[in-house]
Amino acid sequence: KQEVTQIPAALSVPEGENLVLNCSFTDSAIYNLQWFRQDPGKGLTSLLLIQSSQREQTSGRLNASLDKSSGRSTLYIAASQPGDSATYLCAVRPGAQKLVFGQGTRLTINP
Amino acid sequence: NAGVTQTPKFQVLKTGQSMTLQCAQDMNHEYMSWYRQDPGMGLRLIHYSVGAGITDQGEVPNGYNVSRSTTEDFPLRLLSAAPSQTSVYFCASSSGQQSYNEQFFGPGTRLTVL
């Protein structure tokens, strides 16, 4: 059974720092991995999708990497801003339609 | 495009009542699914559909019913609400099952069962 773990559960850093969020999964047989952002009381916003054949994807200040063999992904946020404060969710797609989610990392950027 | 829309945003039910959570998408996506989000449990798949007229169970389907009569709509029915169904419900859609297909989520319905 695929399991996804995100560490740490919460992270607080000062504005301007570069930071890394971690995601690990137990089964390397995945279609893709998707990183989402969730603001309090809101839905999920897709940030980046990495296909199983890819090693990384970039969007603006965000860079996500994927190492299938070790079952790890990282989300790198450069020059963090208070507006980046949110919960970040990692999800892997082991089959055609199902996403398996981690429990998220709650990120706080302090001005 | 409005994307994935869900109604209502909030709902309070009494135990035993039934209701339907609505989900619609205007992106002509074939694939739609329902998740519930609970503290400490993350998001879990309830039901999904790969096209009009085709549905299947996910990880936690008990107490829920779905149908897919059109490509655009995928309602979730609670047959007899129970306090254990208090949760936030998210609908998602995707244009296909290739590895490059993203899933897009709606804003959620917050349901409380008393």
Side-chain angles (χ1 to χ4, degrees):
Chain A
K1 178 184 175 185
Q2 179 72 267
E3 294 182 357
V4 179
T5 303
Q6 291 186 248
I7 295 173
L11 180 64
S12 181
V13 301
E15 180 178 4
E17 279 202 3
N18 303 325
L19 58 99
V20 174
L21 306 181
N22 296 295
C23 172
S24 61
F25 48 96
T26 55
D27 189 342
S28 62
I30 62 172
Y31 277 60
N32 59 39
L33 183 146
Q34 216 170 331
W35 281 93
F36 295 89
R37 169 186 172 137
Q38 185 175 29
D39 292 287
K42 303 294 185 182
L44 281 68
T45 300
S46 179
L47 297 173
L48 289 165
L49 178 145
I50 310 177
Q51 298 179 59
S52 61
S53 59
Q54 296 175 326
R55 298 284 290 183
E56 65 176 349
Q57 282 289 330
T58 298
S59 176
R61 294 183 294 109
L62 305 180
N63 176 276
S65 69
L66 174 64
D67 184 343
K68 268 198 344 175
S69 61
S70 66
R72 295 179 187 273
S73 176
T74 61
L75 179 66
Y76 174 83
I77 302 177
S80 59
Q81 303 170 357
D84 295 329
S85 297
T87 295
Y88 290 80
L89 296 165
C90 162
V92 299
R93 204 178 111 194
Q97 272 310 292
K98 178 177 179 174
L99 285 178
V100 179
F101 283 85
Q103 302 229 13
T105 294
R106 189 172 66 253
L107 177 64
T108 302
I109 307 297
N110 301 303
Chain B
N1 284 351
V4 181
T5 58
Q6 293 183 238
T7 57
K9 291 186 178 180
F10 301 94
Q11 183 70 49
V12 178
L13 292 178
K14 295 181 179 178
T15 297
Q17 287 184 318
S18 63
M19 80 158 294
T20 299
L21 280 62
Q22 301 291 344
C23 173
Q25 51 87 15
D26 62 357
M27 298 175 281
N28 201 33
H29 285 175
E30 287 293 320
Y31 300 90
M32 298 185 73
S33 50
W34 278 100
Y35 290 81
R36 58 178 289 173
Q37 184 176 35
D38 302 291
M41 302 292 292
L43 282 96
R44 293 176 292 168
L45 182 66
I46 305 171
H47 284 287
Y48 66 95
S49 168
V50 299
I54 307 170
T55 63
D56 206 344
Q57 296 182 348
E59 185 182 356
V60 288
N62 293 341
Y64 306 95
N65 204 358
V66 292
S67 61
R68 183 97 179 271
S69 56
T70 67
T71 299
E72 293 78 21
D73 301 297
F74 190 42
L76 179 71
R77 296 183 187 84
L78 279 68
L79 308 173
S80 177
S84 61
Q85 294 178 305
T86 293
S87 187
V88 182
Y89 291 86
F90 289 101
C91 179
S93 74
S94 176
S95 59
Q97 56 181 341
Q98 301 302 318
S99 61
Y100 51 79
N101 291 126
E102 286 181 83
Q103 295 223 15
F104 296 92
F105 282 75
T109 293
R110 283 153 184 76
L111 175 68
T112 301
V113 183
L114 303 174

